[in-house]
Amino acid sequence: PSFPELERKIKKSIKDLEGEVFPKLNWSAPKDSAWISVSRTLRCTSFSEIALLLKSADSLVHDLSHAYDSCSDKSSSRPLNFYLALRSWYPSLLPEREFRCFVRDHHLVGISQREVTTCYPWILAERKSTKNLIMEFFEKKVQLQCPRKQKHACIWPLRFNCKKEQAWNINYKGV
């Protein structure tokens, strides 16, 4: 199949994002298909690389087709529409520097490694300084975004650069 209009829009977006992108859907990313790319990462510089990653990702097929199959509470459902999101590629941001932070009633109640399939020994060795850095970032940048409603919860992913000197809020999601 050929999708010339989609290909044109994606090429323009890649150019606008300085030539290197990380592709994902609004639901999830093709995290299990990095093995098939030439760089062994999710970094893409062309429409064909994006298409290859998306077609090769078993995780996307599962999320699009079967994400709620095992749920007993069917009150939640998958999004009605899916879209492709392209983000600038940041080579200095590594999976082992990504965390998922949990907030309940305006307090940071949990921090977990975002990439759970690999053990990174430095996390255990540097847990105190990492926790302090995350707490400081939460208090200065995130806490004010979390509404002070009773029983309110939010989840936000956070990334550090290689030297842990700068942190980024990837995207804030109130739940």
Side-chain angles (χ1 to χ4, degrees):
S2 176
F3 305 99
E5 182 63 19
L6 177 62
E7 187 170 352
R8 184 187 65 70
K9 287 180 180 180
I10 289 175
K11 282 181 179 179
K12 181 184 181 322
S13 295
I14 292 171
K15 183 179 177 188
D16 291 347
L17 294 168
E18 300 181 8
E20 297 178 325
V21 298
F22 166 72
K24 67 179 300 255
L25 300 181
N26 56 320
W27 183 266
S28 60
K31 56 190 173 281
D32 60 333
S33 62
W35 64 272
I36 202 165
S37 77
V38 174
S39 66
R40 299 286 190 252
T41 68
L42 298 178
R43 177 185 144 282
C44 294
T45 59
S46 69
F47 174 79
S48 60
E49 289 176 344
I50 292 170
L52 180 64
L53 287 181
L54 296 178
K55 286 181 2 182
S56 303
D58 291 335
S59 61
L60 289 185
V61 172
H62 174 268
D63 290 350
L64 293 172
S65 306
H66 305 289
Y68 286 98
D69 288 357
S70 301
C71 295
S72 59
D73 176 9
K74 296 291 184 176
S75 63
S76 298
S77 64
R78 69 188 194 115
L80 296 175
N81 298 306
F82 295 94
Y83 58 86
L84 176 64
L86 301 178
R87 294 188 176 178
S88 294
W89 177 258
Y90 297 104
S92 65
L93 297 175
L94 305 170
E96 63 267 24
R97 298 287 183 191
E98 297 182 23
F99 296 88
R100 184 161 280 140
C101 304
F102 302 87
V103 178
R104 168 134 338 272
D105 298 331
H106 215 60
H107 298 284
L108 182 61
V109 295
I111 301 167
S112 73
Q113 176 182 330
R114 193 167 186 204
E115 166 52 61
V116 296
T117 61
T118 306
C119 176
Y120 301 104
W122 76 265
I123 293 176
L124 187 57
E126 298 179 20
R127 69 181 175 264
K128 189 172 182 174
S129 64
T130 300
K131 177 186 171 190
N132 290 340
L133 196 56
I134 291 172
M135 289 293 297
E136 181 182 334
F137 185 84
F138 170 73
E139 290 166 359
K140 289 182 178 177
K141 306 265 183 166
V142 178
Q143 194 169 31
L144 298 175
Q145 294 181 41
C146 296
R148 291 191 175 266
K149 294 179 185 174
Q150 188 72 308
K151 296 185 181 178
H152 182 270
C154 63
I155 301 168
W156 51 278
L158 174 77
R159 287 184 177 170
F160 294 111
N161 67 358
C162 291
K163 297 177 183 175
K164 282 178 48 181
E165 58 196 20
Q166 187 173 7
W168 291 272
N169 181 12
I170 300 171
N171 53 4
Y172 166 80
K173 293 180 181 180
V175 206

